[in-house]
Amino acid sequence: MQLYNTLSAMERAQLIEEAGKERLTLSFYQYIQLGNPQLFRDYLFLKWNALDVLGRIYVAHEGINAQLSVPAAQFKKFQKTLDEISFLKGVRLNIAIEQNNKSFLKLTIKIRNKIVADGLEDKSFDVTQMGTHLNANEFNSLLADTNTICVDMRNHYESEIGHFDSAIIPDVDTFRDSLPIIEEKLSEYKEDKKVLMYCTGGIRCEKASAYFKHKGFKNVYQLEGGIIEYARQVKNLGLENKFIGKNFVFDERRGERISDDVIAQCHQCGASCDTHVNCINEACHLLFIQCETCQEMMNECCSSACKDIVALPLEKQQELRKGIHNSNKIFKKGRSKVLKYKS
């Protein structure tokens, strides 16, 4: 029984290209107590692999967090697999506003301790006691209220290319870093201010809003469906768009343009740019912003050192990487000292 990928990303990309069929990029999450995450993980893999679903999915005792690429022709069958699961029946699907058939190239379903790494160990904290959900129109209204404090719950490399006007933007590397910083920063406003938060698709706010209510904040609100759903409602309902720039997304697209504003700059030359790339040196793979001019000049690398390495024969590069474990910690998400214009 196949419970893992058998094709490489390159092989899958070629098959998608040859098929020439449209795919939909979407995401969803659900907090629910799972007794056996491994059994649930294997069940999903068998169901979704049969439908040629691709993506990155985390399953934990606290629920599921899924980002997917689904063949458009199989969408109804995919929805049926969700509706057959009691706690996923009718779950909100955040469908991307900008589609790319190669947004995901593997079906990866992993068991994690949590579906969002928050660092919280408080047993009395109840994630189901979240803040008030708001649609795009309600969010705009509250954003305009002078008694509102808007908080971006994302990381620095996400908010750097796009955010809501007037939002507090913590300069953090991870979600878990942001929680104590925001709590301390807003501690004097627990009773009287309205705390309005947002993130990419809503999952971080679901947990953060419950956490801040647990910490004594009286008026906590969150953007339902996150920036992804906000952009869709703004477009479909003709609402005023309050989001500036791009929304960072966690797939091969790396961003969806929400407004024409470019608020970031190339990390190498300082030119106006908001295109995230990964350094093509496999031993580095640093995520950073690079303009087309620098991309050509630096051969898609973050530094001269990496440029020199990728110029070597592949066998030599593999030899240099031998014994080096590429964990997420070394990717740094744009914090490297080699990036002169990383603000």
Side-chain angles (χ1 to χ4, degrees):
M1 184 165 54
Q2 182 194 336
L3 293 170
Y4 55 88
N5 285 284
T6 58
L7 296 176
S8 69
M10 187 177 297
E11 289 171 328
R12 180 71 70 177
Q14 185 176 346
L15 287 177
I16 291 173
E17 191 76 33
E18 291 172 354
K21 296 180 179 179
E22 294 300 311
R23 301 181 67 91
L24 298 174
T25 301
L26 56 92
S27 62
F28 73 88
Y29 65 88
Q30 186 68 279
Y31 281 101
I32 185 74
Q33 287 300 311
L34 291 176
N36 192 331
Q38 184 66 53
L39 184 64
F40 183 55
R41 178 264 173 211
D42 293 347
Y43 171 82
L44 291 179
F45 192 97
L46 290 171
K47 285 283 187 178
W48 291 350
N49 188 54
L51 297 177
D52 194 27
V53 173
L54 306 173
R56 186 187 304 112
I57 301 95
Y58 298 140
V59 175
H61 283 292
E62 68 175 6
I64 178 172
N65 180 13
Q67 300 169 71
L68 305 165
S69 170
V70 180
Q74 301 280 32
F75 181 68
K76 288 187 178 179
K77 289 184 179 180
F78 168 73
Q79 278 190 308
K80 186 179 178 182
T81 68
L82 298 180
D83 289 341
E84 288 172 346
I85 302 168
S86 60
F87 59 85
L88 293 181
K89 184 176 177 62
V91 68
R92 186 192 63 249
L93 300 177
N94 288 331
I95 300 176
I97 58 171
E98 293 181 358
Q99 295 295 338
N100 184 319
N101 288 345
K102 299 176 185 177
S103 58
F104 289 101
L105 298 174
K106 290 185 178 182
L107 176 58
T108 304
I109 309 180
K110 294 184 177 181
I111 305 296
R112 290 288 179 88
N113 290 328
K114 295 188 177 185
I115 57 175
V116 176
D118 53 37
L120 300 176
E121 302 298 336
D122 188 345
K123 300 299 183 183
S124 64
F125 166 58
D126 184 357
V127 72
T128 66
Q129 300 300 309
M130 71 284 290
T132 303
H133 290 74
L134 302 177
N135 61 31
N137 190 45
E138 292 167 335
F139 183 89
N140 280 353
S141 296
L142 205 57
L143 191 63
D145 189 335
T146 56
N147 198 44
T148 295
I149 299 176
C150 183
V151 185
D152 192 320
M153 296 306 304
R154 302 171 302 153
N155 305 327
H156 70 90
Y157 57 91
E158 300 172 78
S159 58
E160 183 176 11
I161 62 171
H163 53 78
F164 281 102
D165 190 24
S166 75
I168 293 174
I169 305 171
D171 184 26
V172 295
D173 293 332
T174 67
F175 174 61
R176 70 171 65 194
D177 292 339
S178 69
L179 294 176
I181 292 174
I182 294 170
E183 182 186 355
E184 181 179 358
K185 192 176 185 69
L186 303 185
S187 59
E188 62 182 290
Y189 305 117
K190 286 185 176 183
E191 298 287 340
D192 54 341
K193 294 288 187 179
K194 299 172 184 175
V195 178
L196 175 63
M197 53 187 64
Y198 67 90
C199 59
T200 308
I203 188 169
R204 282 176 280 188
C205 288
E206 201 86 336
K207 182 162 281 189
S209 67
Y211 175 73
F212 288 122
K213 286 185 66 178
H214 172 66
K215 287 293 186 175
F217 287 83
K218 302 300 182 185
N219 306 295
V220 183
Y221 302 83
Q222 65 189 87
L223 178 58
E224 185 171 17
I227 303 163
I228 297 173
E229 180 60 19
Y230 176 88
R232 176 169 294 279
Q233 290 181 22
V234 163
K235 180 180 179 181
N236 292 344
L237 302 176
L239 304 175
E240 182 181 2
N241 175 37
K242 297 288 189 177
F243 189 90
I244 306 169
K246 261 184 179 179
N247 178 30
F248 185 95
V249 293
F250 295 87
D251 57 57
E252 293 299 321
R253 296 172 300 149
R254 300 191 186 91
E256 288 186 332
R257 183 157 298 286
I258 309 300
S259 80
D260 293 332
D261 306 275
V262 178
I263 65 171
Q265 59 186 7
C266 173
H267 288 163
Q268 292 176 317
C269 73
S272 179
C273 179
D274 57 10
T275 301
H276 274 104
V277 300
N278 285 109
C279 178
I280 64 167
N281 176 13
E282 290 296 329
C284 174
H285 208 62
L286 179 72
L287 180 74
F288 68 108
I289 296 175
Q290 187 180 53
C291 68
E292 291 183 358
T293 300
C294 288
Q295 187 173 25
E296 182 176 353
M297 183 174 64
M298 297 298 295
N299 193 20
E300 301 179 62
C301 292
C302 69
S303 64
S304 297
C306 285
K307 184 179 178 183
D308 290 343
I309 289 174
V310 298
L312 296 172
L314 182 59
E315 294 78 10
K316 183 63 175 176
Q317 292 184 49
Q318 291 174 336
E319 185 180 330
L320 291 173
R321 292 201 301 271
K322 195 174 293 182
I324 298 175
H325 175 61
N326 267 6
S327 71
N328 286 333
K329 291 181 180 179
I330 72 165
F331 294 161
K332 301 185 186 71
K333 301 292 192 294
R335 293 289 197 189
S336 175
K337 294 179 181 178
V338 303
L339 302 175
K340 182 179 178 181
Y341 288 93
K342 165 62 182 173
S343 57

